[in-house]
Amino acid sequence: MSKAKDITLPEEVKGYSQIRIDVDLTSGKIEKTTLSREFCRDWIGGYGFGAKVLWDELKPGIDPLGPDNVLVWAVGPFPTTILPTSSKYGLFAKSPLTGMFGMSISSGSVGAQARRAGINMIVMKGRSPEPVYMVLDDDDYYLVPCEKTVWGKGCWETEEQLREEFQDQRLAVLAIGPAGERMSKLGCITNDRNRQAGRTGMGAVMGSKNLKAICFRGTKSVKVAEPAEFYKLAKKLIKVANGPATAKYRDLGTPAGITSYNKLGMFPIFNHREGTWEEIDNGTFTGDALKLDWVVKKAACSQCPIACDHLSRVPKTHPNYPNIVASVDVETCYSFGSACGNTDWPTVFKCITLCDDLGIDGISGGVTAAMACELYDLGLITKKDLGYELPFGSTQNLVRFTEEICLGKGFAGEIFGDGTREAGRRLEERGIKNAGYYGMHIKGLEMPAFDLHGMSSFAVGESVSIRGACHLRNGAYGLDAKGKFDRFAYDKPLERGKAIKATEDVYGLIDSYIICKFTRGIYENDAELAKVYELVTGIPHTEKSLLSRGDAIVTLSKCFNVREGWTRADDHPPQRFFKEAHTKGPTKGVTLKEDGYQQLLSGYYEARNWNPETGVPTDATLKKLGLDFVIGKLKQTTGGKKK
């Protein structure tokens, strides 16, 4: 495997601006430095940049909500080029929700506008003595006190007010809401109203630093290494992206997956008690029903030809939620819909808008609500506790619960306002035994819209994700859904492990570029994915060398987790999947088997050339990947990590 250092660099790297901004929020000092050509070559962008900075500049064991946490904002080399779906950005820090590697990615206009301002990366440290927002306006960088202006306001109003203040509707704004300000561990960051950097509590990290928002605008251009050849390839990719390869996202959006996964018994119902639902079978709760009855507009992010953002509107005659407009995806159809036993679309929309505006992750928020519904159903929490009823199928009370966890109000906010793991711990401290069993999370991060009964490969793939339960860091669900392996069996552990690793490595690369995974099918192969990088940057990476960097980035993130106290036991799904079977559908009677799961997990570790027993990367593997600087520094701690 070739190391990045063996790749000859051009005299001038293109695509990247190579500008890093360091912000000491405690003192207000802002510095500009230049990223080296070697740094760009080795770490690619987004995810890779974040992983390297957190490893180098974050002391292990720190409090994620303390001033010593480091918050990294980063893009790759592609924003403002015509490469499809290239206006994306990432945020990286130690997660207050998991205590491990935290990352969240969003799209919209921010990536493109930040690149026009000439920014590749911002590294924020310390804590401002008062609430501020940051402005990056071409070469002008400054902090603005905002306690009397936008602090305390929702994400949407903050964005609107800042654009009005600058008299520029193109101003890109990413902001936290009241949830992030109060440092809810579910805190998200919203930009362009409907786009969120939602997962792992990055909004809480901004809140802990008294940082309300970051604003970008600029006039700088981007240069590519081979403009004529890149233009030709990019135009071809745009054409393919307008065709069948992305048709389902353009037609129904991500809710297209509801019906297909329901047929496989893989769509979570009633907090993962079941994997199929008659409300989907009869057409009530499907992507088709959503499109037919509610969707009023399709919207696209900058540089995107797909327009997967399907906006749904409730009529002005609705008695409870008139005229609300929500950006609806499959994850929130699951979290506030099927997981809560709720078929009322306006209720789903209202819960989504509360999360997006007040600022919590819509997946985590809904999965936390589903946990509360089940605890209520079992009598473990009561109307006396909540002040209202909350059975599965709740509508107005589900909205009330969602608002309370966003704002930290009442019993709901006090117990459930920081997610399922904290809720389980708090309830158990109050004498409700085994309450944590009903919190559907991995490493503290709430699960996405896949039920793991009968998904033996993805049970491993989702569990080994470095940020916790996640389908976007590891696409191994496709191995089960498409039948590459027997999804009910545990055979071929090394072969499965290699397949799981392969999806994770290419996702690591995609998240470093950063481009949208909805376009992964528009490339003929990974070689073409590598070609666009070379044409833009001039760095002669190959398919092999870039995938090796994906491997290195994932491995370095794993090393971060090991340093923070990770053990093999953390790579494990909730016990429900091992103890309770579905009662109907294709996965009726199925549970995960512990022995089989552990065998596949060891196969994955072996495929990565990590220690197959402990899951810790070996010195030989670190050296092979060019991660020599990690060797000798993997002493595990428990600092800041909560089980």
Side-chain angles (χ1 to χ4, degrees):
M1 186 178 296
S2 61
K3 295 180 181 178
K5 67 180 182 181
D6 298 327
I7 295 171
T8 303
L9 282 163
E11 290 186 7
E12 181 183 0
V13 169
K14 302 292 179 66
Y16 301 100
S17 71
Q18 298 178 250
I19 297 300
R20 167 175 165 161
I21 305 297
D22 282 273
V23 184
D24 183 337
L25 288 160
T26 303
S27 66
K29 185 178 180 181
I30 301 173
E31 293 184 327
K32 180 170 74 171
T33 56
T34 301
L35 299 173
S36 70
R37 295 177 302 157
E38 291 79 10
F39 184 86
C40 295
R41 173 197 64 193
D42 295 353
W43 303 105
I44 312 301
Y47 180 13
F49 283 8
K52 186 62 164 65
V53 171
L54 291 187
W55 175 266
D56 288 346
E57 302 182 31
L58 190 65
K59 294 180 180 179
I62 59 95
D63 177 2
L65 293 175
D68 293 333
N69 202 358
V70 174
L71 180 64
V72 180
W73 178 98
V75 294
F78 297 113
T80 73
T81 71
I82 62 169
L83 187 71
T85 71
S86 55
S87 179
K88 298 179 77 71
Y89 70 90
L91 282 154
F92 311 86
K94 182 177 179 181
S95 167
L97 188 63
T98 70
M100 297 189 189
F101 190 91
M103 66 179 290
S104 197
I105 290 173
S106 183
S107 50
S109 68
V110 170
Q113 286 287 50
R115 182 60 186 82
R116 291 187 184 103
I119 308 300
N120 248 153
M121 182 163 65
I122 308 170
V123 180
M124 289 159 278
K125 301 177 181 179
R127 182 179 190 272
S128 173
E130 62 178 328
V132 295
Y133 63 84
M134 184 174 186
V135 179
L136 299 102
D137 190 354
D138 273 337
D139 295 319
D140 201 8
Y141 317 127
Y142 55 94
L143 299 169
V144 180
C146 65
E147 187 171 12
K148 296 181 180 179
T149 55
V150 292
W151 192 259
K153 295 184 177 179
C155 299
W156 295 349
E157 186 177 358
T158 298
E159 183 174 343
E160 291 169 0
Q161 185 168 326
L162 290 175
R163 285 179 168 173
E164 181 65 26
E165 181 176 328
F166 282 81
Q167 288 293 293
D168 189 349
Q169 290 302 307
R170 298 171 300 172
L171 184 76
V173 180
L174 58 95
I176 61 172
E181 292 176 7
R182 73 173 187 84
M183 292 180 280
S184 165
K185 294 179 180 180
L186 304 181
C188 80
I189 296 156
T190 288
N191 61 271
D192 298 283
R193 185 181 175 99
N194 297 325
R195 302 290 87 186
Q196 279 73 37
R199 314 235 67 198
T200 70
M202 296 297 96
V205 178
M206 278 185 64
S208 74
K209 296 185 175 300
N210 262 342
L211 181 63
K212 176 67 175 180
I214 306 175
C215 310
F216 299 95
R217 69 177 178 182
T219 58
K220 300 179 186 295
S221 62
V222 62
K223 295 180 180 180
V224 301
E226 301 291 342
E229 194 174 349
F230 171 69
Y231 181 81
K232 182 178 178 180
L233 178 54
K235 291 291 283 186
K236 170 199 162 186
L237 293 171
I238 291 168
K239 183 177 180 180
V240 177
N242 276 303
T246 61
K248 67 178 180 180
Y249 302 118
R250 184 165 44 257
D251 183 28
L252 295 180
T254 59
I258 295 175
T259 300
S260 57
Y261 284 105
N262 185 69
K263 288 179 179 178
L264 293 168
M266 292 161 52
F267 199 68
I269 315 298
F270 301 121
N271 200 32
H272 292 262
R273 284 180 177 177
E274 300 288 353
T276 57
W277 203 16
E278 59 274 10
E279 300 292 351
I280 299 173
D281 294 331
N282 66 22
T284 299
F285 199 81
T286 65
D288 291 288
L290 179 66
K291 176 185 177 182
L292 180 65
D293 297 332
W294 302 99
V295 172
V296 293
K297 185 178 181 180
K298 299 176 183 179
C301 301
S302 298
Q303 281 78 55
C304 177
I306 301 171
C308 75
D309 185 8
H310 292 193
L311 304 178
S312 297
R313 181 177 183 176
V314 180
K316 63 182 179 181
T317 55
H318 193 276
N320 300 316
Y321 321 121
N323 277 333
I324 64 165
V325 178
S327 173
V328 184
D329 66 12
V330 68
E331 297 299 333
T332 45
C333 291
Y334 141 71
S335 63
F336 287 112
S338 65
C340 294
N342 168 41
T343 61
D344 184 62
W345 286 109
T347 293
V348 174
F349 304 157
K350 181 61 177 178
C351 290
I352 291 170
T353 59
L354 286 170
C355 292
D356 292 354
D357 187 23
L358 298 179
I360 68 168
D361 174 33
I363 300 176
S364 287
V367 174
T368 301
M371 176 189 185
C373 289
E374 183 162 20
L375 291 169
Y376 186 92
D377 183 65
L378 296 170
L380 298 177
I381 61 174
T382 65
K383 181 178 180 179
K384 182 178 179 181
D385 294 323
L386 288 164
Y388 48 89
E389 297 177 338
L390 194 70
F392 284 119
S394 293
T395 54
Q396 292 185 61
N397 285 348
L398 180 62
V399 170
R400 180 176 176 181
F401 177 91
T402 302
E403 184 171 17
E404 288 178 351
I405 65 171
C406 288
L407 298 175
K409 291 184 176 180
F411 177 86
E414 178 185 352
I415 299 297
F416 295 95
D418 288 310
T420 56
R421 184 165 67 177
E422 282 294 294
R425 183 185 63 80
R426 291 165 181 168
L427 289 170
E428 288 171 6
E429 287 178 350
R430 294 184 175 214
I432 301 176
K433 294 181 180 179
N434 208 31
Y437 174 85
Y438 303 99
M440 304 306 290
H441 68 82
I442 298 173
K443 300 185 183 77
L445 182 65
E446 285 71 24
M447 297 183 71
F450 297 89
D451 188 277
L452 297 181
H453 292 90
M455 295 186 75
S456 55
S457 295
F458 190 49
V460 174
E462 185 172 349
S463 297
V464 300
S465 161
I466 55 92
R467 75 171 182 178
C470 186
H471 63 300
L472 293 174
R473 306 286 79 71
N474 190 306
Y477 56 87
L479 303 177
D480 293 318
K482 297 176 182 178
K484 182 174 178 61
F485 299 100
D486 183 346
R487 65 191 181 103
F488 300 104
Y490 302 89
D491 58 338
K492 305 177 180 178
L494 181 57
E495 187 178 343
R496 288 187 195 237
K498 290 179 178 179
I500 294 168
K501 173 187 181 297
T503 67
E504 200 168 35
D505 289 349
V506 75
Y507 276 22
L509 178 61
I510 289 171
D511 288 338
S512 299
Y513 269 30
I514 311 170
I515 55 175
C516 180
K517 294 186 179 71
F518 292 171
T519 58
R520 62 192 182 276
I522 72 174
Y523 295 87
E524 290 184 7
N525 47 43
D526 291 339
E528 191 169 66
L529 188 64
K531 186 66 175 177
V532 296
Y533 179 84
E534 183 176 355
L535 293 176
V536 169
T537 67
I539 300 173
H541 263 301
T542 64
E543 172 189 358
K544 181 179 178 181
S545 64
L546 278 168
L547 289 175
S548 174
R549 297 319 298 158
D551 189 350
I553 290 162
V554 172
T555 299
L556 182 59
S557 305
K558 178 60 173 282
C559 291
F560 179 98
N561 285 349
V562 172
R563 192 173 68 174
E564 291 295 335
W566 172 95
T567 69
R568 179 179 178 130
D570 291 299
D571 286 353
H572 200 279
Q575 285 297 320
R576 160 161 276 166
F577 298 111
F578 297 85
K579 294 183 176 181
E580 295 182 42
H582 292 161
T583 65
K584 56 186 177 180
T587 50
K588 179 179 179 180
V590 174
T591 59
L592 293 177
K593 305 301 181 186
E594 186 66 43
D595 290 348
Y597 175 82
Q598 293 297 338
Q599 185 177 357
L600 294 186
L601 182 61
S602 294
Y604 165 80
Y605 293 153
E606 184 180 355
R608 281 213 167 275
N609 293 310
W610 297 348
N611 185 309
E613 294 182 0
T614 65
V616 176
T618 65
D619 288 354
T621 297
L622 294 173
K623 190 172 183 64
K624 188 175 183 180
L625 292 173
L627 302 177
D628 308 63
F629 57 87
V630 175
I631 296 173
K633 299 180 180 179
L634 287 184
K635 182 179 179 181
Q636 293 172 311
T637 77
T638 55
K641 177 169 170 278
K642 296 179 181 179
K643 289 287 189 182

